Amino acid sequence: NSFKKTEELLYLYPKLPVDHPERLRIDEALRKIEDDEYCDVINMRYFEGKTINEISEFYDCKYQNISKKRNKLMKILASELFPEDVLNEILQK
């Protein structure tokens, strides 16, 4: 699904050369969430390898809150990175 594809791409991101087309595509998607106060959740989880527990400690809030924030941000990223998959998922519901 689009969530898993987005996760795979985000985990790959730090390994990609700066000028790689996929990295540039991810950069563009990340710009869509940069104004969100929890945008660093994505950096911490996928680029720094922190757990949701570690991130919730950093933000001094509950695990569930960080999990919900991450899911919200991931939906935005997925709609940018895999719009056709997201649309198909919506239509299948």
Side-chain angles (χ1 to χ4, degrees), residues 4 10 21 25 30 35-36 44 48 51 56 73 75 81:
K4 286 289 182 198
L10 291 175
R25 204 165 72 89
L30 290 170
D35 291 335
D36 190 290
M44 295 169 82
E48 298 173 20
T51 66
S56 62
L73 294 169
K75 285 180 183 179
L81 295 167

Side-chain angles (χ1 to χ4, degrees), residues 8-26:
E8 289 172 11
L9 210 49
L10 291 175
Y11 282 128
L12 183 62
Y13 179 87
K15 299 173 186 143
L16 295 172
V18 178
D19 60 346
H20 192 282
E22 283 301 299
R23 186 171 179 135
L24 298 174
R25 204 165 72 89
I26 298 166

